[in-house]
């Protein structure tokens, strides 16, 4: 038993370290005097100028920001033009709501377009795009001054290094917050849109966290491979691109993808979500590590694309994900079937070598099903207790994400202890639990192969570990189980964290699948817990207390100034 506890603790420590690596942006760089290297400090200086005050479309502060951007681009040697238009009816209505007054005439928006000439202007150009307007009442340091600043510093560094092969087109749109108005005008009317072959768009929904490539153009295999070989501190996932494709969310890149014909990379950070559209989204509150990672990815992609002999073409979609921020793994979807054969084959081998009369298979299926279903129901109910549902304040809920994440973690731990706290799981019971997950993996691989890796890869690793344990002595078997538990749980912890960041305020039960996969890895190492049902009850009561805390917590000062639940 003591050895099992040692393996359990060691694997858990490694898993937590890996999860922290996956969810923490690299530290900002120190000041550099090398003019051809991008500098976070120089980018942050732009953020301070752009996000000095709120600057919504049509405001005098927005005009000041625009003049600053034009001056900076011209000083870098770009040819710059401003292209104006008027808001459509929906955009004007939203702006009028923010200002709490009606406009007699449509408000003007102004895009800033710059071109850094390349060696061969006949080649398709590379576009770097972000929006420079903010919402009403927010300085917009993250959304989207960080994106604009990353582009400015990227272009400055590239211009200082000398000409690249392709033109770089800087597209700084206005009125994104009012319905992507500036982007739709550019891709619908500007002749430059026809010259572009690849786009890097930058966004944010929060004040920090890892800068992640969460969306691509269709047929993204070549796009993913360019990202994999170019970006040093990656954060990306074909699961995220799949989920985003079915959500009703938009960025400026949507206007480009509606037109089609571009190789596209959409990069954003969504951590510290309470700062989204917040009066507190100031330069001082911006995570400089997030800015550093966004800048690094933008510069690397822009440089690689601008010097590429050919730009990524639309081919088939690929499976891709970053391994704890260290590297990006890319492979063809059909390989998922090979992984499933390896994983299921590994369990089959282990079953054949064991006492096949051992009971507990049905119990394992039932317990894993109970974990997922009961956990989902509990999180759905506790989310309602926390104040979700009709009338909930969107920005208030975003600010509650850290507490909601704690609530979800307590539910998962409470159910895991209740179901497996006695530490008596045999191989048959573990096989039953694994069978349910394997069936979900097969279904996922059949219906959404680019997203299913999140189940398929763990099934493969768990099956291989089961085979090793059946063939080797107990020491090597426990080592294999501990390695798999650390790797899979590290990824599932980071994935669960990202799920809560993305949809936690409305769908915290989305974290149950990563939780179930992670717990499956721990069953061979699970130690006996004294009084497990009492521990489980305490954990579930703790989750309930957190839900009530969220419900009765005062509305935070971070909520958007135009929110119905604004302070005061």
């Amino acid at each position: 038993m003591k050895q099992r506890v040692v393996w359990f603790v060691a694997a858990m420590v490694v898993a937590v370290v890996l999860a922290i690596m996956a969810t923490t942006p690299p530290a900002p760089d120190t000041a550099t005097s090398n003019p051809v290297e991008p500098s976070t400090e120089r980018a942050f200086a732009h953020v301070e100028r752009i996000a000095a005050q709120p600057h919504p479309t049509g405001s005098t502060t927005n005009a000041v920001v625009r003049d600053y951007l034009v001056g900076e681009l011209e000083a870098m040697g770009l040819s710059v033009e401003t292209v104006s238009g008027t808001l459509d009816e929906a955009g004007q209505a939203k702006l009028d709501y923010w200002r709490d007054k009606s406009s007699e005439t449509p408000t003007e928006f102004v895009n800033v377009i710059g071109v850094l000439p390349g060696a061969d202007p006949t080649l398709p150009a590379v576009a770097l795009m972000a929006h420079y307007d903010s919402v009403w009442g927010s300085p917009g340091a993250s959304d989207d001054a960080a994106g604009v600043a990353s582009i400015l510093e990227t272009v400055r560094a590239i211009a200082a290094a000398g000409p690249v092969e392709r033109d770089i087109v800087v597209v700084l749109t206005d009125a994104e917050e009012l319905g992507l108005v500036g982007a739709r005008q550019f891709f619908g009317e500007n002749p430059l849109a026809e010259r572009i072959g690849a786009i890097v768009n930058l966004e944010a929904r929060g004040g920090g966290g890892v800068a992640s490539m969460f969306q691509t153009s269709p047929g993204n295999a070549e796009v993913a491979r360019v990202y994999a070989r170019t970006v040093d501190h990656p954060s990306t996932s074909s699961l995220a691109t799949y989920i985003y494709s079915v959500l009703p969310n938009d960025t400026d890149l949507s206007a480009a993808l509606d037109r089609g014909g571009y190789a596209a990379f959409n990069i954003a950070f969504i951590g510290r979500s309470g700062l989204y559209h917040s009066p507190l989204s100031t330069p001082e509150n911006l995570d400089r590590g997030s800015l550093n990672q966004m800048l690094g990815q933008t510069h690397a992609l822009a440089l690689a694309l601008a010097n590429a002999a050919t730009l990524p073409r639309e081919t088939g979609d690929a499976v891709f994900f970053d391994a704890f921020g260290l590297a990006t793994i890319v492979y063809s979807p059909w390989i998922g079937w090979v992984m499933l054969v390896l994983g299921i084959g590994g369990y089959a081998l282990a079953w054949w070598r064991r006492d096949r009369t051992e009971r507990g298979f049905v119990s394992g299926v039932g317990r894993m099903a109970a974990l997922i279903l009961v956990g989902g129901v509990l999180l759905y109910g506790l989310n309602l207790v926390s104040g979700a549902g009709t009338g909930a304040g969107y920005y208030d809920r975003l600010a509650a994400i850290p507490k909601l994440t704690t609530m979800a973690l307590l539910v998962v731990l409470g159910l895991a202890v209740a179901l497996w706290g006695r530490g008596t799981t045999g191989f048959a019971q573990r096989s039953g639990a694994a069978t349910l997950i394997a069936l979900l993996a097969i279904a996922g691989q059949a219906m959404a192969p680019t997203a299913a890796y999140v189940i398929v890869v763990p099934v493969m690793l768990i099956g291989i570990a089961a085979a090793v344990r059946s063939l080797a002595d107990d020491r090597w078997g426990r080592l294999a189980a501990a390695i798999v538990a650390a790797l899979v749980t590290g990824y599932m912890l980071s994935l669960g964290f990202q799920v809560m960041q993305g949809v936690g305020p409305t769908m915290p039960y989305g974290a149950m699948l990563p939780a179930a996969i992670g717990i499956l890895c721990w069953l061979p190492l699970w130690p006996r817990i004294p009084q497990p049902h009492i521990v489980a009850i305490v954990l579930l009561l703790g989750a309930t207390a957190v839900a009530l805390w969220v419900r009765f917590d005062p509305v935070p000062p971070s909520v958007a100034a135009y929110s119905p639940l604004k302070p005061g």
Side-chain angles (χ1 to χ4, degrees), residues 332-378:
S332 299
W334 64 266
I335 294 177
W337 291 112
V338 178
M339 292 179 174
L340 284 174
V341 169
L342 289 173
I344 295 171
Y347 251 105
L349 174 63
W351 182 273
W352 179 75
R353 290 182 59 84
R354 287 178 177 265
D355 180 5
R356 293 182 292 280
T357 64
E358 182 184 347
R359 298 181 179 181
F361 181 87
V362 174
S363 172
V365 174
R367 292 187 189 207
M368 182 57 71
L371 175 68
I372 296 172
L373 296 176
V374 174
V377 169
L378 281 176

Side-chain angles (χ1 to χ4, degrees), residues 138-477:
S138 174
S142 54
D143 181 20
D144 197 15
V148 175
S150 295
I151 290 174
L152 292 178
E153 177 58 10
T154 289
V155 172
R156 184 211 59 76
I158 291 176
V164 289
E165 289 300 311
R166 301 172 185 272
D167 289 355
I168 294 179
V169 179
V170 174
V171 183
L172 303 180
T173 65
D174 195 2
E176 187 274 348
E177 300 289 4
L178 298 172
L180 319 181
V181 180
R184 296 200 187 281
Q185 185 210 55
F186 178 81
F187 289 102
E189 303 175 15
N190 198 308
L192 266 176
E194 298 180 3
R195 292 192 48 222
I196 292 170
I199 302 171
V200 179
N201 185 64
L202 305 178
E203 261 289 1
R205 195 218 66 181
V210 291
S212 179
M213 184 179 75
F214 66 97
Q215 184 186 23
T216 66
S217 46
N220 60 24
E222 291 192 8
V223 167
R225 290 188 173 92
V226 168
Y227 183 91
R229 64 174 176 260
T230 301
V231 173
D232 289 335
H233 297 287
S235 174
T236 189
S237 163
S238 55
L239 172 64
T241 63
Y242 175 80
I243 292 175
Y244 194 81
S245 71
V246 299
L247 292 176
N249 298 338
D250 285 304
T251 67
D252 274 345
L253 188 62
S254 300
L257 296 181
D258 288 344
R259 176 178 178 134
Y262 305 110
F265 307 76
N266 209 357
I267 298 171
F269 50 85
I270 64 169
R272 298 170 64 186
S273 299
L275 293 177
Y276 181 49
H277 287 179
S278 171
L280 303 183
S281 183
T282 62
E284 294 76 18
N285 289 330
L286 175 66
D287 185 340
R288 295 201 195 186
S290 305
L291 177 63
N292 178 44
Q293 189 174 25
M294 176 174 278
L295 171 61
Q297 293 192 26
T298 305
H299 179 263
L301 287 171
L303 198 58
L305 293 168
N307 284 318
T310 58
L311 294 175
R313 299 163 299 168
E314 182 176 338
T315 56
D317 286 329
V319 180
F320 57 90
F321 56 93
D322 72 279
F324 309 108
L326 300 174
T328 302
I329 297 170
V330 185
Y331 58 87
S332 299
W334 64 266
I335 294 177
W337 291 112
V338 178
M339 292 179 174
L340 284 174
V341 169
L342 289 173
I344 295 171
Y347 251 105
L349 174 63
W351 182 273
W352 179 75
R353 290 182 59 84
R354 287 178 177 265
D355 180 5
R356 293 182 292 280
T357 64
E358 182 184 347
R359 298 181 179 181
F361 181 87
V362 174
S363 172
V365 174
R367 292 187 189 207
M368 182 57 71
L371 175 68
I372 296 172
L373 296 176
V374 174
V377 169
L378 281 176
L379 285 177
Y380 178 82
L382 287 176
N383 204 41
L384 293 179
V385 170
S386 75
T390 304
Y394 175 69
Y395 297 102
D396 186 28
R397 299 294 295 172
L398 288 180
I401 284 177
K403 298 186 184 75
L404 295 173
T405 302
T406 301
M407 178 189 78
L409 181 61
L410 290 172
V411 166
V412 169
L413 292 177
L415 287 176
V417 169
L419 292 167
W420 287 290
R422 295 186 183 278
T424 57
T425 56
F427 179 76
Q429 188 179 121
R430 297 198 300 272
S431 297
T435 297
L436 181 58
I437 299 299
L439 290 173
L440 293 175
I442 292 170
Q445 178 66 24
M447 293 185 292
T450 60
Y453 80 87
V454 74
I455 321 176
V456 170
V457 173
V459 166
M460 177 187 68
L461 294 176
I462 294 168
I464 291 173
V468 170
R469 192 170 183 183
S470 70
L471 295 170
D473 61 33
D474 191 60
R475 180 181 59 180
W476 289 106

Side-chain angles (χ1 to χ4, degrees), residues 98 100 555-557 559-568:
W98 287 349
D100 197 23
V555 176
V559 300
Y562 54 84
S563 170
L565 287 177
K566 57 189 175 184

Side-chain angles (χ1 to χ4, degrees), residues 368 371-372 433 437-438 440-441 452-459 462 484-485 488-489 491-492 495 511-523:
M368 182 57 71
L371 175 68
I372 296 172
I437 299 299
L440 293 175
Y453 80 87
V454 74
I455 321 176
V456 170
V457 173
V459 166
I462 294 168
V484 170
V488 174
T489 305
Y491 194 88
M492 293 304 148
L495 178 61
M512 284 313 304
L513 182 57
I517 296 169
I519 288 170
L520 176 62
C521 297
W522 291 100
L523 296 185

